[in-house]
């Protein structure tokens, strides 16, 4: 189980959007995900289609008592969609900030960590959304997490406060005696502005390997998804929002070694075209195999029907070229070579398919 907190004291930089849609994309890939909403604004809860007013107990009840005295995290969890549960928040959580803030007990920043440890049901990922301040709720989230994602809006002030935030986290690591893997995620990127491009360059030059390869572009569909209380994986899998968050999900899924070895396809940093103009492109899949008698291509783009909608070309050196017209999106596929399913040997980006076996992944932005 990996526990990841998404934090930044700066408001509106895309924390909740990242929590909800990273959760949606990981769940879409078949991983079991729990979102823990630690923000009294309850935007993650709402973004996953749960009205905080409709739930009888929320994360407040879990955290306001000493461990073991209140309900367990699993007892207040609500199902949002397949593979995706949420521990909801509510406005009462702001009272906890004050209550725990005035307590001197050393356990007051450990309550969430204990609650996560005691989860009886295994999740693959626990994703914790933080409020826009570094108070006792955020400290609880950092104690519980092994990894931290800091979304940075790629604006004029992108870098403001980041150094201080990294210092705070380092300080906490010292006190915790546990390391946090911290990564920065450029968000709300608008390639049409000079500011955004400059901010992205500055972030990459300053923080280098700490920065995800993925950049989350500005995409109105993400805002619409939030308003409708669904993840982008449910609303629109052809949107840039889905492409970018799926790219993030895959980057999170890759372990270090794979990350270093592989060439990750990063969505191109082009201005977002109007939806009508984002037409399908002819994509060429090339496989060199002299001995094969029949090479077919199947993926979610053709409902896994080998060679449906695929144009085949063969060259004299034994290369099979498969041409498919695809719009922006994240696609899984495999070759069907002389009756056997195989992932693409030239593509290092792979995931376990929902029906078992290994699929190759292609991102078109
Ligand atoms: N990539 C994006 N494209 C378009 N809109 C976005 C994107 N990311 C976030 N937004 C919108 O920007 C607003 C702020 O985003 P979000 O709520 O995720 O930020 P936050 O950091 O969680 O804010 P807070 O600090 O208040 O918790 C929301 O209306 C959200 O829908
Ligand atoms: Mg938020």
């Amino acid at each position: 189980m990996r526990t990841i907190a998404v934090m930044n004291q700066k408001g509106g930089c895309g924390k909740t959007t990242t929590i909800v849609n990273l959760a949606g994309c990981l769940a879409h890939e078949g991983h079991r995900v729990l979102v823990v909403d630690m923000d009294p604004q309850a935007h993650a809860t709402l973004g996953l289609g749960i009205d905080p007013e409709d739930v009888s107990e929320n994360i407040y009840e879990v955290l306001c008592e000493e461990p073991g005295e209140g309900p367990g995290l699993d007892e207040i969890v609500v199902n949002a969609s397949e593979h995706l549960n949420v521990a909801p928040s509510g406005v009462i959580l702001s009272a906890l900030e004050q209550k725990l803030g005035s307590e001197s007990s050393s356990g007051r920043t450990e309550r969430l960590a204990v609650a996560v440890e005691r989860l009886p049901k295994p999740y693959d990922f626990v994703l914790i959304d933080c409020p826009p301040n570094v108070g006792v709720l955020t400290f609880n989230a950092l104690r519980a997490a092994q990894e931290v994602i800091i979304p940075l809006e790629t604006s004029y002030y992108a870098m403001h406060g980041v150094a201080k935030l990294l210092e705070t986290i380092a300080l906490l690591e010292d006190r915790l005696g546990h390391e946090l893997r911290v990564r920065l995620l450029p968000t709300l990127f608008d390639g049409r502005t000079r500011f955004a491009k400059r901010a992205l360059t500055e972030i990459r030059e300053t923080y280098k390997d700490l920065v995800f390869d993925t950049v989350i572009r500005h995409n109105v569909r993400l805002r619409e998804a939030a308003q409708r209380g669904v993840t982008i994986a449910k609303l629109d899998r052809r949107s840039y929002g889905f492409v970018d968050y799926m790219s993030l999900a895959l980057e999170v899924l890759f372990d270090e070694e794979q990350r270093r070895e592989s060439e990750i396809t990063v969505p191109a940093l082009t201005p977002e075209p109007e939806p009508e103009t984002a037409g399908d492109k002819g994509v060429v899949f090339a496989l060199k195999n002299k001995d094969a008698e029949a090479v077919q291509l199947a993926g979610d783009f053709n409902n896994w029907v080998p060679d449906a909608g695929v144009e085949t070309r063969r060259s004299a050196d034994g290369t099979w070229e498969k041409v498919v017209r695809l719009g922006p999106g994240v696609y899984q596929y495999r070759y069907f070579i002389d009756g056997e399913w195989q992932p693409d040997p030239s593509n290092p980006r792979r995931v376990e398919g929902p029906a078992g076996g290994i699929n190759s992944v292609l991102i078109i932005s």
Side-chain angles (χ1 to χ4, degrees), residues 12 14-17 39 41 43-44 129-132:
K15 292 182 287 295
T16 304
T17 306
D39 185 353
Q41 298 180 97
H43 288 166
D129 194 17
C130 295

Side-chain angles (χ1 to χ4, degrees), residues 11-17 39 41 132 188 217-219 222-223:
C13 58
K15 292 182 287 295
T16 304
T17 306
D39 185 353
Q41 298 180 97
L188 284 147
R217 287 168 287 187
H218 193 280
N219 180 244
L222 288 167
R223 199 180 289 261

Side-chain angles (χ1 to χ4, degrees), residues 17 21 217-228 230-232 234-242 272 275:
T17 306
N21 295 297
R217 287 168 287 187
H218 193 280
N219 180 244
V220 285
R221 299 295 269 162
L222 288 167
R223 199 180 289 261
E224 276 172 45
Q227 280 160 1
R228 292 192 199 185
V230 293
T231 73
I232 197 70
K234 290 268 177 261
L235 182 74
D236 185 358
R237 288 205 288 279
R238 284 176 67 95
S239 65
Y240 292 101
F242 177 70
E272 180 184 318

Side-chain angles (χ1 to χ4, degrees), residues 8-10 13 150-167 184-187 195-208 210-211:
N8 190 340
Q9 80 274 34
K10 207 169 153 205
C13 58
I150 301 178
L152 292 183
E153 181 179 351
T154 44
S155 69
Y156 195 64
Y157 298 109
M159 305 278 283
H160 187 78
V162 182
K164 186 95 198 126
L165 193 58
L166 292 175
E167 241 174 65
L184 307 175
L185 175 70
T187 58
F195 279 161
K197 285 185 189 147
R198 210 183 302 147
L200 185 60
T201 309
E202 205 182 339
I203 293 168
R204 288 215 186 281
E205 279 173 2
T206 312
Y207 294 108
K208 301 187 173 69
L210 286 190
V211 189

